[in-house]
Amino acid sequence: MSRTTPDSAHRRKRPGYPAAAAVFAVGMAGTTLPTPLYGLYREHLGFSELMVTVVFAVYALGVIATLLLAGNVSDEAGRRPVLLAALGFSAASALCFLFEGGLPALLAGRLLSGFAAGLLSGAATVTVMELAPPGRAARAGLAATAANMGGLGCGPLLSGLLAEYAPWPLRLPFVVHLALIAVAAVLTWFLPETVASARVRGVRLRPQGLAVPPTIRGVFATSALAAFAGFSLLGLFTAVAPAFVAETLDVHNLALTGLVVFSVFLASTAGQALMGRVGERRALPGGCFVLVGGLLLVGASLLFTSLPLLVAGALCGGLGQGLAFRGAVTAISAAAPAEHRAATVSAFFVIAYLGISLPVVGVGALTLGIGLRNAGLTFAGCVLALALGVGLYLARRPPAPR
């Protein structure tokens, strides 16, 4: 088995966990970079809102496939090679959008972006944690969380600003991101390798499947359902919110659209950071109830065509998602036997990423029959019912503290 190396003197000469967090953020920003641009692609290529959600969902399929096939590959190949491979997929995705030649190129770009996110979600998180010096594990954990959600939020903000106030709205965001990837690749090259017996050659991709020990299926089910509901909200904001803002609220500023999407990820980061104060037992049910409040505000914003209500829904819902998500990960990690912990967490992330894709495609399909506004209200009602049910169950049976 591979193991990490504590070569402290060597690490002091190389970048530490903040550099690894920066690499993580750059890679994740690419996965949401196209979000404010979907309306422009619709006009340019002439496809429906359903196809927008399908293009978005292809990303989640790439993430899930990577988690199932290569979720633990960095344990064998080492962290740096996997991070470089993820940045390579991210660069290839940016090139697909940069030289966009129609719908197939967009689908290919989103699939490659999913591969990048699937590799980064495991390898980058572990790298940030392993590079933390003694006594700074908690700070490194927060850095990994902020890099993940902060990167996802900065993608739409960057592309929205560039598309609204700079030339070449469908080109410049990806040129800028390619430049950031180049910087991230240089940082990655100089990061210390934390896997002592890393071997790139001979690594085989093996389907891992979804393995959940029978003894923790109750904890897993409630935690995974909470994550499904929270990630559904994130999927709504990253795939359909631009259309809501433009068509339902009649706001056509792409920078403002990017800011709305950024706000939900910013709030998610804050929610995850709050778990220490809220406590492990209350984080998961409490996060579900805050998520319910956010979904009520999102529904109200569509009923009353109010942008401030939509922003409030993003902030409240994101806060609840972040709190519930970290509570769910903590509950599963505490309950799972050590020998099955990695497989159980991987299964959890698969369910979460199904939440970010399937309901959003459902919204896109509903728009063809009942319109965007009614589809959004239907989505909010269904996810609200799920989050409320899980929250009420967990309020009576909270997860045991670690």
Side-chain angles (χ1 to χ4, degrees):
M1 293 180 61
S2 61
R3 64 182 186 277
T4 58
T5 173
D7 189 359
S8 307
H10 184 56
R11 287 183 188 179
R12 280 197 294 267
K13 300 175 184 178
R14 289 175 174 266
Y17 78 90
V23 171
F24 195 3
V26 168
M28 296 308 292
T31 67
T32 52
L33 201 65
T35 294
L37 310 178
Y38 285 138
L40 298 179
Y41 285 120
R42 284 186 63 191
E43 295 175 8
H44 183 54
L45 300 175
F47 50 75
S48 67
E49 187 61 37
L50 172 60
M51 189 52 65
V52 170
T53 60
V54 170
V55 169
F56 174 80
V58 166
Y59 156 76
L61 293 179
V63 176
I64 292 169
T66 304
L67 287 172
L68 291 176
L69 286 172
N72 297 326
V73 72
S74 70
D75 291 334
E76 299 180 33
R79 312 300 183 210
R80 271 188 300 169
V82 172
L83 292 178
L84 289 171
L87 291 174
F89 282 126
S90 189
S93 172
L95 289 172
C96 286
F97 283 94
L98 183 60
F99 300 108
E100 174 266 311
L103 186 58
L106 298 188
L107 292 169
R110 292 302 291 160
L111 185 65
L112 290 166
S113 187
F115 293 160
L119 291 176
L120 282 168
S121 60
T125 300
V126 173
T127 302
V128 174
M129 297 297 294
E130 289 176 346
L131 291 179
R136 296 196 177 181
R139 187 175 297 181
L142 182 58
T145 294
N148 191 345
M149 289 298 171
L152 289 168
C154 286
L157 185 62
L158 173 64
S159 60
L161 288 168
L162 292 175
E164 185 66 32
Y165 300 116
W168 314 303
L170 293 180
R171 301 283 188 270
L172 188 59
F174 301 101
V175 172
V176 172
H177 190 239
L178 282 169
L180 292 173
I181 290 172
V183 174
V186 173
L187 282 176
T188 302
W189 183 262
F190 288 102
L191 286 175
E193 177 56 70
T194 58
V195 177
S197 56
R199 52 182 181 86
V200 177
R201 292 185 179 181
V203 173
R204 298 171 60 185
L205 301 181
R206 297 177 296 273
Q208 299 174 35
L210 298 180
V212 180
T215 55
I216 68 158
R217 284 177 183 169
V219 174
F220 180 88
T222 52
S223 299
L225 286 173
F228 186 95
F231 272 64
S232 296
L233 180 75
L234 298 184
L236 180 78
F237 273 91
T238 46
V240 188
F244 286 156
V245 172
E247 298 178 24
T248 304
L249 305 181
D250 198 28
V251 176
H252 301 279
N253 186 299
L254 296 179
L256 186 57
T257 299
L259 184 60
V260 169
V261 180
F262 171 77
S263 66
V264 73
F265 288 103
L266 179 67
S268 175
T269 304
Q272 294 185 51
L274 277 174
M275 196 192 76
R277 295 190 177 186
V278 174
E280 294 179 11
R281 286 176 62 85
R282 292 182 292 178
L284 186 49
C288 289
F289 292 135
V290 177
L291 178 61
V292 166
L295 288 162
L296 286 172
L297 288 168
V298 169
S301 74
L302 298 176
L303 278 174
F304 302 110
T305 60
S306 169
L307 181 61
L309 281 176
L310 182 64
V311 174
L315 293 172
C316 182
L319 189 71
Q321 184 275 334
L323 191 58
F325 175 70
R326 189 168 178 192
V329 172
T330 301
I332 288 175
S333 298
E339 63 272 19
H340 297 294
R341 188 167 293 141
T344 304
V345 172
S346 293
F348 169 79
F349 273 101
V350 168
I351 302 300
Y353 273 97
L354 285 174
I356 212 172
S357 56
L358 294 181
V360 170
V361 174
V363 172
L366 284 174
T367 59
L368 301 178
I370 62 176
L372 185 61
R373 183 181 182 184
N374 290 331
L377 289 170
T378 302
F379 166 91
C382 291
V383 179
L384 187 153
L386 175 60
L388 182 61
V390 174
L392 289 173
Y393 177 85
L394 288 169
R396 299 181 62 185
R397 299 182 179 182
R402 181 162 44 176

